[in-house]
Amino acid sequence: MSVIESSARARDTLARNHRTGYSRAAQRGYDFTCPSPDSYPFQWAWDSSFHAIALTHLDTRRARAELRSLLGAVTPGGFLPHMVLWQDDLRPRATADFRIDLWEGWRSVTIAPPVVARAVERVHRATGDDLWLRRVLPPTLAFFGWLRDHRTSPGTGLLEIYQPDESGLDSSPKYDGALGIESAAEGDVHGAWHGAMRSLITAYSSPARTPESALRERRLFVWNDVLVNTVYADGLSCLARLVRTAGANERTAERLAEESRAIGAALMRHCWDETTGVFHDLDLVAGKRNEVLTASSLLPVLLDSVPEPAARRVIEEHLLNEREFWRPHPVPSVAATEPSYDPTFRTGAIFRGSSWINLNWYLYWGLRRRGYHAEAETLAARTCALVAASDTTRECYGPEDAAGHGARSFGWSSLVLDLAAATTTELTEGF
Ligand code: GLC
């Protein structure tokens, strides 16, 4: 029942959030799905990638257009921004509302987790459209090359981010210490976070910031994020397969596969904690691991390059642990054992305890790939039930009570369409 209801909510959202038009600033047409009509009217990179995956179950023309629009924002140097503000009429108000720095007037200067390669693979698999693949593969490869060249930490070999929202996990309590805000489960965390972000962005804005600004040297916020690196390593292995499919050269495919394995190995070397059996981010300014236990600590179970014993410990000691992440409506973005755990959205700040459908989606595939089939099915069923419990798709949900929070008609919660379909399909190479 909840599968039918959650799929109906997802279809409504994907219809309601569809945006098409022509951007004078960018001088091109656009055709994408916004994350939420009221709160997020533009194109956001990792949201859009999830939307395209959901759209493979509804409208493959739109799935292809979604990614072509997104990749139309890649710069000649290969940078793909987190936000693409196509709509000329909405841009002025939005730049006043959001804490963003724009690049050439219509793109953010920040990155998002590179989910786009996984989305390209999924859309190609759903459509078999080789011509489309030949068009979208070069900008996707360019972006991954840009990340390698401009965002690799010399010491660890992992990708680095220069502000918390580049991980997409904006107000996660794991960043509180680095931002100098008090780590709490109530009170005005939301306001404190915005203040800290404003200071960071102001500090970065002089001299004028470009996507390639040398921010590492500023030592304000330099971070190896486990989620970002897991998504990156996963994307590299998708690209290796896509390059082979497109009949491009085998050496490129092998190099991409090797880069993916190297990220997995670096996560094991620098982020894996043998004592607690989980992965931790690295705060490169403080020069230490960040030990706040969040859902991103679980994500590397997705990667084949993470050895089986480590993945089993993450799953059995943490993901399936009822005191931490296996709550009534899993998976909370922060472990229930953390003092900052905010399951009822009291702080009004995101990624501080609520369950998120995109993280559940990754963890569902992680469980399946590691052979935890019954647990994966339970997670898919509970995720669909969460989405069915509200009158529209919501940005995030209460892990104790299933209450919907944040933006309404929220795009990536439509990934329930993929979960509903997945439970009946065979596991293929690359989920
Ligand atoms: C919030 C989220 C970010 C997302 C954006 C649009 O800023 O933290 O991950 O991309 O909203 O949904």
Side-chain angles (χ1 to χ4, degrees):
M1 195 59 188
S2 64
V3 168
I4 295 171
E5 286 172 0
S6 65
S7 297
R9 308 255 189 293
R11 280 195 297 274
D12 278 357
T13 293
L14 291 171
R16 199 174 308 138
N17 297 13
H18 189 197
R19 298 288 177 273
T20 56
Y22 183 82
S23 172
R24 283 192 310 281
Q27 297 197 349
R28 56 191 306 148
Y30 55 81
D31 184 335
F32 71 94
T33 313
C34 70
S36 167
D38 299 327
S39 322
Y40 308 109
F42 302 107
Q43 188 165 26
W44 265 259
W46 75 322
D47 300 71
S48 228
S49 306
F50 293 128
H51 300 161
I53 292 168
L55 282 166
T56 60
H57 302 285
L58 202 63
D59 183 339
T60 54
R61 188 210 63 79
R62 268 185 66 190
R64 281 171 283 186
E66 181 90 28
L67 295 180
R68 282 203 65 185
S69 275
L70 180 67
L71 291 161
V74 170
T75 66
F79 164 72
L80 174 65
H82 188 178
M83 291 178 63
V84 191
L85 292 80
W86 298 114
Q87 299 101 306
D88 300 302
D89 53 335
L90 300 180
R91 208 178 300 114
R93 211 202 75 208
T95 38
D97 284 3
F98 294 116
R99 315 147 308 279
I100 49 171
D101 228 351
L102 291 187
W103 171 240
E104 292 179 344
W106 56 280
R107 297 175 269 217
S108 68
V109 281
T110 49
I111 57 163
V115 180
V116 62
R118 170 61 67 185
V120 168
E121 185 177 49
R122 279 301 213 86
V123 172
H124 181 254
R125 196 195 302 159
T127 59
D129 187 341
D130 294 331
L131 186 62
W132 176 85
L133 180 62
R134 276 204 290 280
R135 291 203 174 118
V136 296
L137 194 51
T140 311
L141 285 167
F143 176 47
F144 275 69
W146 185 94
L147 289 170
R148 181 197 56 222
D149 296 345
H150 295 280
R151 291 303 188 97
T152 303
S153 299
T156 61
L158 292 164
L159 282 196
E160 60 194 26
I161 56 171
Y162 301 130
Q163 52 187 73
D165 51 336
E166 289 200 310
S167 70
L169 306 170
D170 299 18
S171 342
S172 171
K174 64 187 181 176
Y175 307 125
D176 288 352
L179 291 178
I181 66 176
E182 199 193 331
S183 211
E186 57 188 355
D188 190 20
V189 174
H190 186 61
W193 187 82
H194 279 270
M197 285 296 290
R198 255 192 305 278
S199 309
L200 186 61
I201 289 167
T202 307
Y204 280 154
S205 64
S206 161
R209 182 175 177 185
T210 74
E212 284 89 17
S213 289
L215 299 183
R216 180 186 309 133
E217 283 77 63
R218 306 283 299 275
R219 297 188 58 74
L220 295 174
F221 185 95
V222 188
W223 195 276
N224 289 155
D225 198 282
V226 169
L227 176 139
V228 172
N229 280 280
T230 303
V231 170
Y232 178 54
D234 178 57
L236 285 164
S237 48
C238 294
L239 286 179
R241 289 189 291 274
L242 286 167
V243 162
R244 287 196 180 103
T245 307
N249 96 31
E250 176 57 30
R251 280 192 21 223
T252 307
E254 193 32 57
R255 177 180 55 73
L256 290 161
E258 182 44 43
E259 285 175 11
S260 175
R261 286 191 290 271
I263 295 292
L267 282 169
M268 285 307 293
R269 192 170 325 113
H270 298 288
C271 303
W272 171 248
D273 182 345
E274 184 62 30
T275 316
T276 55
V278 83
F279 292 85
H280 294 302
D281 292 1
L282 304 176
D283 176 343
L284 299 182
V285 176
K288 58 175 197 226
R289 286 183 178 168
N290 179 278
E291 295 187 352
V292 179
L293 189 56
T294 70
S296 61
S297 303
L298 314 174
L299 235 63
V301 301
L302 273 178
L303 303 176
D304 290 344
S305 51
V306 163
E308 196 64 19
R312 297 195 85 81
R313 285 197 63 192
V314 171
I315 292 171
E316 289 174 16
E317 294 174 29
H318 300 285
L319 175 54
L320 301 179
N321 176 340
E322 291 181 0
R323 280 175 297 110
E324 293 180 358
F325 292 101
W326 208 241
R327 305 300 296 171
H329 305 281
V331 174
S333 42
V334 175
T337 45
E338 286 291 333
S340 56
Y341 178 59
D342 172 21
T344 53
F345 214 58
R346 278 189 299 179
T347 56
I350 55 178
F351 290 105
R352 296 187 76 90
S354 309
S355 298
W356 290 73
I357 307 307
N358 62 336
L359 301 183
N360 283 15
W361 180 81
Y362 272 124
L363 292 169
Y364 167 83
W365 289 108
L367 282 169
R368 266 187 83 169
R369 286 191 70 73
R370 297 291 174 174
Y372 291 82
H373 296 287
E375 293 81 358
E377 293 326 308
T378 302
L379 181 56
R382 293 195 192 171
T383 305
C384 291
L386 259 184
V387 173
S390 291
D391 59 346
T392 174
T393 56
R394 298 299 301 263
E395 190 169 7
C396 53
Y397 298 88
E400 309 295 338
D401 61 4
H405 299 294
R408 301 177 65 81
S409 187
F410 189 71
W412 76 42
S413 297
S414 62
L415 282 170
V416 286
L417 291 175
D418 196 59
L419 292 179
T423 53
T424 57
T425 52
E426 289 290 302
L427 190 62
T428 53
E429 188 197 6
F431 50 88

